[in-house]
Amino acid sequence: MQMNKVAVMAVVLFIMGMMTGVASGASIGYIDGQKVFSSYDKTKKAQEQFKKKEQVIQDEITKKQKQIEQEKTKGASDADLRKLVEKFEKELAPKQKDLIESQNKVRKEIQGDIVKATEVIAKKMGIEIVLDKQIFVTGGTDLTAKVIEQLNKK
């Protein structure tokens, strides 16, 4: 119960601090982060590349599943089938791991690009604070279209 009061007090103080900035004339803007991310050309290209890589892995999985079925049909023992499955999983694991790591790396790059573009647009428009649309209730200036334009002109 005491922890809840502390958390509520922290949120209230945070909001009051934000309101103080607003009251002192700080200009606020917002972006639709999801729209910016999905509208960025680099995101679209990356998604196409990852889709191709995922398909290659899926094709390999399908091929290995067929091999397992063939061994099953030939009468392979459960132990042999388990060993075969383990072997295939060990072969696929590095490829799946590389794909995930690559996706994470590109996602971070894209997020960095979005932050930089947002900073450029905010500075040009004299906006001091930029929030994501999901946490913004009312008011402010929508920078979404301008940030997308800034990102895609590179």
Side-chain angles (χ1 to χ4, degrees):
M1 188 68 164
Q2 184 67 20
M3 194 63 165
N4 286 340
K5 287 181 182 179
V6 172
V8 168
M9 183 59 81
V11 170
V12 168
L13 290 173
F14 175 75
I15 291 171
M16 287 174 60
M18 293 277 297
M19 295 311 229
T20 303
V22 172
S24 68
S27 52
I28 298 178
Y30 63 91
I31 62 168
D32 182 340
Q34 290 176 337
K35 183 175 182 180
V36 170
F37 186 84
S38 64
S39 298
Y40 185 19
D41 291 340
K42 188 174 182 178
T43 302
K44 294 174 186 176
K45 289 176 187 171
Q47 287 173 333
E48 289 173 17
Q49 291 172 344
F50 290 127
K51 196 176 238 182
K52 289 176 186 175
K53 290 178 181 181
E54 287 170 349
Q55 188 58 52
V56 167
I57 292 172
Q58 186 57 48
D59 291 346
E60 195 169 337
I61 290 170
T62 302
K63 180 180 169 185
K64 294 189 183 299
Q65 286 173 334
K66 287 180 182 176
Q67 290 176 346
I68 291 168
E69 287 300 318
Q70 288 174 349
E71 291 299 315
K72 201 177 204 180
T73 305
K74 291 179 185 177
S77 71
D78 285 345
D80 288 340
L81 290 173
R82 273 194 296 276
K83 286 180 186 175
L84 190 58
V85 167
E86 288 173 11
K87 176 186 170 208
F88 290 160
E89 286 174 347
K90 284 181 185 177
E91 291 172 5
L92 290 171
K95 294 175 185 178
Q96 291 171 324
K97 182 181 178 198
D98 288 345
L99 179 64
I100 291 168
E101 287 174 355
S102 178
Q103 287 173 327
N104 288 338
K105 180 182 176 209
V106 170
R107 186 177 301 114
K108 285 180 184 177
E109 288 174 12
I110 290 170
Q111 288 171 339
D113 292 349
I114 290 170
V115 168
K116 287 176 189 169
T118 302
E119 288 171 347
V120 167
I121 296 302
K123 187 174 182 180
K124 282 182 184 177
M125 296 183 67
I127 305 286
E128 297 174 46
I129 300 169
V130 180
L131 302 170
D132 191 280
K133 180 181 176 182
Q134 292 180 341
I135 61 169
F136 205 76
V137 179
T138 185
T141 304
D142 187 355
L143 306 177
T144 303
K146 292 185 184 300
V147 170
I148 292 169
E149 184 180 318
Q150 175 73 22
L151 283 166
N152 289 330
K153 78 177 187 181
K154 292 181 179 181

